[in-house]
Amino acid sequence: MRRVEDERLLRGLGRFVADVAFAGELHGALVRSPYAHAIISGIETSRACRAPGVVAVFTGADLAADGVGPMRALWAIRGVDGKAMAEPPRFALARERVRHLGEPVAIVIAQTHQQALDAAELVDAGYQTLPAVIDASAAAVSGAAQLHDSAPGNVCFRWARGDEAAVRTALKTAAHVARLSLRNNRLIGAAIEPRAVLAVAEPGSKKLTLYSSTQVPHHIRRYVAEQLGLPEAGVRVIAPDVGGGFGYKGKHYPEETILAWAAQRLRRPVKWVASRSESFVSDNQGRDHLTQAELALDARGNFLALRVETVANLGAYVSTFGAAIPSAIYSALLAGVYRTPAIFVRVTGVFTNTLPTDAYRGAGRPEACYVLERLADRAANELGMDRAEIRCRNLIPAAAMPYKTPIGPTYDCGDFPKVFARALEMAEYAAFAKRRATASRAGVLRGIGLACYVESSGVAPSRFAGALGARTGFFEAASIRVQPDGGLQALLGTHNHGQGHATTMAQILCERLGVPLAKIEIVEGDTDVVPYGTGTFGSRSIAVGGSALDRAAGKIVAKGKLIAAHLLEASPTDIDFADGTFAVTGTDRRLSFNDVARAANLAHNLPLETLEPGLQETAVYDPPAFAFSNGAHVCEVEIDPLTGETRIVGYWAVDDVGTVINPIIVEGQLHGGIAQGLGQALREHCVYDGAGQLLSGSFLDYALPRAADLSLIQSELDESQPCTHNPLGAKGAGEAGTIAAPAAIVSAVLDALAPLGVTDIDMPLTPEAVWRAIAAAKTATRAIGRS
Ligand code: MCN
């Protein structure tokens, strides 16, 4: 089933926030801090106010005078000893001090976009610069610049999980300990559509309507209502077509509050659309971990214990899920697919004068996978074992399911050894030595990389997240309205920004209710229309939203049976429903779904004492646990030793995302994820200088992967292990590729470089980084030769 939404989008008929226009609409341009850390000594706006077309200029003082509250994180984790994380106030427009490059300090509102931009240049903000701290390793060191009074030592939280004593003992007594120190590079999300907000507060109406390119309309509604002191129902958030989000559009941003407030104040629609350059200094960034890890093994390569110490760079403020991603989410997956009896992880979240970090596709899971897979490779190399063998030896067997990890989660199902074996088979792993020898004769270094992963899709249940400090639930809601002609309108709390929901959600209904796809409309992204929901992130839409939809369909069938029983003069228990037909068991008395829909909506012949007219149902689904997708990826690379250029020559992926609703879409999701993983492994790197200026502030310096960088990806889906606790059996697929790819690619590059004695390079493995590693290894070899 091909995606039904593509024709409209490919023909340029999408309707994104920037396409929505209102009569009398004004345009906002934000004045942003040019410094990473400074005291605002004053903001002179009079010249800007007099500029052509300018309607108003607002600063943090205006919002403060109006009582606009601070932006709050949506997950306030508790650290060791139950200590609450530091949550310093973050205001939509900075007050008194700025803490990262690009922090908004004023907004200029004018008749046209260009007039707003021109006048923004005339706002004269004075700054007394302060020393900045950029690197996570420097932030918690004594004497480092301090960002917030409420976070001494720049520490937001200290988090720990697992059995420290057991791990300490195992590390002391183990036959071998593999040690690793690594950096997980900071990434910049780069969706095709830059973020945009349009706020509308019509005169005479109490309703504030906010169009935002967001993944989470209901969360944004709540934030804006809270900060502006409005009832939640007084705010309507519409996320129309959104051109990619990758997690970073699933967070709350200052512009949503600023525009909403300004529109209310002016009673005029106000629009802001980020330029690409502006996106680099106003969107959340991802990853940025420094990690030390130790894996204890016995002499035969069995994993005994794992210890992980991570410093996570949170940037200048705690963003929406900024604290939860590197703590609760990351640490929960440190068992990965392996049987490691004892695990202990400690994470310190620190503030620095950089853009806030938060979820970026994968969100904590690629970081966990990378630590584990790098350790597995290192341990194998040090023990002289084959890298596939050490993994096989330690994989959790299918017979051990459900498997309770020592770090928290319980995996309900999965056949990790089978998936891994199939990936090795597809990649012809056993014959790799020959391919390496052939490449070597041609003067090229060839390596093969392995990565196994497990993904926690659909954060759940709400009770669990709440106990860990989440300030939101994680259920999802779906409503189905059956029209008199038997057509369906399904309304969901999830949001589609590239994942193909209009297709896959409709497929669920088509299968469940026998209604043709052409008669099904999927509606998402409007808080006044869809039921209260959580949005799309964490690969949750199918496992949680799809399950809610399935349940709602079940309710439609149940009511349909009552109606059919009445019309067919049979007992409801004698009515079967299959292939869109209600039938009395064992007879030819039947009614089509359309007949029942019509009868329900006409209500000419219904037992009104027991049945309400109409056919519409809502279901809410709060899963009992995460759905654990998993898989194994194998990558083969060739490296030119003269230039350090890496070429991917083969990529094989076997993924278990449970029952697959739409294999074409899932494969597309995997390809996209792998492309992003490749970006992290080989190209993308967010770099600040010591003063907090962004050196990678455009696509000239921030290198996204291009089509030519990818090889043919050969992918297989293993559907033998459906999720055991949701009605669809589906596990998430949206982030899977991003989780395994960096680890698989780095594994391949290090394998290619191993004969030269290179054991370590941090991502991204740019040609320069690889070339330098080769040069350093050669120098070291020469030095050893001389001595
Ligand atoms: N699917 C399926 N069968 C399964 C699993 C998934 O058919 N067993 C389908 C789903 O029905 C859906 C798609 O695959 O159409 C992805 O589903 P799911 O894994 O539930 O992920 P979400 O829809 O919740 O999407 C979120 C996820 C995340 S967290 C990021 S980040 C991400 C991603 O999806 N950002 C994307 N994929 C993206 N794809 C595009 N094009 N753009 C983004 O911004």
Side-chain angles (χ1 to χ4, degrees), residues 284-654:
N284 287 335
Q285 300 173 346
R287 319 275 196 262
D288 205 344
H289 284 195
L290 290 172
T291 295
Q292 314 267 346
E294 295 171 292
L295 179 66
L297 303 101
D298 68 15
R300 296 173 59 230
N302 292 305
F303 297 176
L304 302 176
L306 171 71
R307 182 185 177 87
V308 177
E309 294 264 353
T310 293
V311 182
N313 191 335
L314 306 182
Y317 301 97
V318 195
S319 172
T320 310
F321 287 147
I325 302 293
S327 55
I329 305 294
Y330 162 70
S331 67
L333 283 196
L334 280 169
V337 289
Y338 304 112
R339 261 182 314 183
T340 310
I343 301 178
F344 179 72
V345 52
R346 198 194 303 278
V347 182
T348 309
V350 296
F351 292 112
T352 64
N353 296 106
T354 60
L355 271 287
T357 55
D358 205 317
Y360 173 67
R361 200 172 190 174
R365 287 85 122 236
E367 295 91 315
C369 174
Y370 188 62
V371 171
L372 287 171
E373 296 304 299
R374 288 285 312 273
L375 274 174
D377 274 4
R378 174 153 293 191
N381 291 340
E382 290 175 354
L383 289 170
M385 285 177 73
D386 180 84
R387 289 170 301 142
E389 191 198 328
I390 204 167
R391 287 175 168 84
C392 287
R393 181 173 283 275
N394 289 286
L395 287 172
I396 300 162
M401 298 293 170
Y403 177 81
K404 167 117 185 67
T405 65
I407 199 75
T410 298
Y411 305 150
D412 61 322
C413 65
D415 192 341
F416 306 155
K418 177 180 162 216
V419 163
F420 185 49
R422 179 64 191 136
L424 294 178
E425 189 183 21
M426 282 169 69
E428 295 182 30
Y429 181 75
F432 173 71
K434 262 198 210 152
R435 301 199 287 276
R436 191 202 289 265
T438 311
S440 170
R441 282 194 292 278
V444 178
L445 300 162
R446 193 160 175 131
I448 193 161
L450 313 172
C452 300
Y453 75 93
V454 64
E455 174 187 355
S456 48
S457 54
V459 177
S462 299
R463 189 179 349 105
F464 158 82
L468 288 176
R471 291 169 172 159
T472 178
F474 285 91
F475 56 82
E476 202 45 82
S479 297
I480 300 173
R481 294 183 191 152
V482 180
Q483 309 298 339
D485 67 353
L488 305 178
Q489 202 181 33
L491 309 125
L492 287 133
T494 46
H495 183 269
N496 175 54
H497 37 279
Q499 294 89 344
H501 292 179
T503 308
T504 45
M505 297 298 180
Q507 281 183 270
I508 293 173
L509 292 177
C510 179
E511 172 132 352
R512 200 75 164 79
L513 300 175
V515 174
L517 278 169
K519 288 180 79 177
I520 302 175
E521 187 196 3
I522 302 296
V523 181
E524 297 178 310
D526 183 338
T527 57
D528 266 14
V529 174
V530 302
Y532 186 86
T534 307
T536 284
F537 55 90
S539 302
R540 66 188 303 278
S541 301
I542 203 66
V544 190
S547 295
L549 190 61
D550 184 82
R551 279 195 168 182
K555 290 186 176 180
I556 294 285
V557 171
K559 184 166 178 189
K561 282 185 177 178
L562 296 179
I563 296 169
H566 172 76
L567 298 175
L568 296 169
E569 295 175 352
S571 157
T573 50
D574 289 339
I575 303 289
D576 290 329
F577 179 73
D579 301 326
T581 305
F582 294 90
V584 183
T585 319
T587 72
D588 60 358
R589 282 154 62 210
R590 58 192 59 224
L591 287 172
S592 70
F593 187 82
N594 289 359
D595 294 334
V596 170
R598 199 172 307 111
N601 283 293
L602 287 176
H604 290 172
N605 177 14
L606 290 183
L608 294 178
E609 325 68 60
T610 53
L611 266 186
E612 288 173 4
L615 193 49
Q616 45 193 342
E617 296 289 348
T618 295
V620 182
Y621 182 68
D622 197 340
F626 288 101
F628 290 101
S629 325
N630 64 86
H633 288 203
V634 181
C635 171
E636 207 162 308
V637 299
E638 280 192 351
I639 298 173
D640 179 342
L642 298 178
T643 62
E645 177 79 36
T646 299
R647 201 163 61 87
I648 311 263
V649 291
Y651 200 102
W652 302 268
V654 181

Side-chain angles (χ1 to χ4, degrees), residues 101-313:
L101 177 73
E103 187 168 351
V105 298
I107 184 165
V108 175
I109 296 168
Q111 303 288 353
T112 70
H113 182 54
Q114 193 54 51
Q115 285 171 334
L117 287 174
D118 289 346
E121 305 255 318
L122 303 176
V123 172
D124 192 8
Y127 299 95
Q128 290 164 19
T129 57
L130 298 167
V133 59
I134 306 304
D135 199 85
S137 60
V141 170
S142 93
Q146 298 294 300
L147 270 81
H148 303 281
D149 295 343
S150 59
N154 294 321
V155 173
C156 172
F157 63 81
R158 294 186 198 280
W159 165 276
R161 196 172 198 168
D163 187 341
E164 187 172 22
V167 170
R168 194 182 305 123
T169 310
L171 284 167
K172 263 195 208 139
T173 54
H176 185 76
V177 177
R179 295 194 166 81
L180 195 63
S181 170
L182 56 85
R183 177 184 286 271
N184 203 296
N185 42 330
R186 182 182 274 241
L187 303 178
I188 295 175
I192 291 179
E193 180 208 16
R195 284 190 305 111
V197 180
L198 165 62
V200 184
E202 285 171 30
S205 161
K206 283 198 178 140
K207 195 93 175 188
L208 173 75
T209 303
L210 199 67
Y211 293 81
S212 179
S213 54
T214 182
Q215 304 171 208
V216 288
H218 276 102
H219 283 176
I220 302 308
R221 182 182 80 162
R222 172 172 155 194
Y223 277 127
V224 170
E226 268 176 13
Q227 287 159 49
L228 269 53
L230 299 170
E232 280 194 55
V235 181
R236 175 181 186 186
V237 175
I238 300 175
D241 283 327
V242 173
F246 306 119
Y248 77 88
K249 283 190 192 159
K251 309 296 166 282
H252 173 42
Y253 285 95
E255 294 83 4
E256 283 151 345
T257 305
I258 300 167
L259 273 278
W261 177 84
Q264 280 227 314
R265 174 81 170 242
L266 300 170
R267 306 307 303 175
R268 300 267 302 266
V270 188
K271 183 187 269 179
W272 165 79
V273 181
S275 69
R276 180 59 67 184
S277 308
E278 195 175 11
S279 302
F280 276 89
V281 292
S282 60
D283 294 346
N284 287 335
Q285 300 173 346
R287 319 275 196 262
D288 205 344
H289 284 195
L290 290 172
T291 295
Q292 314 267 346
E294 295 171 292
L295 179 66
L297 303 101
D298 68 15
R300 296 173 59 230
N302 292 305
F303 297 176
L304 302 176
L306 171 71
R307 182 185 177 87
V308 177
E309 294 264 353
T310 293
V311 182
N313 191 335

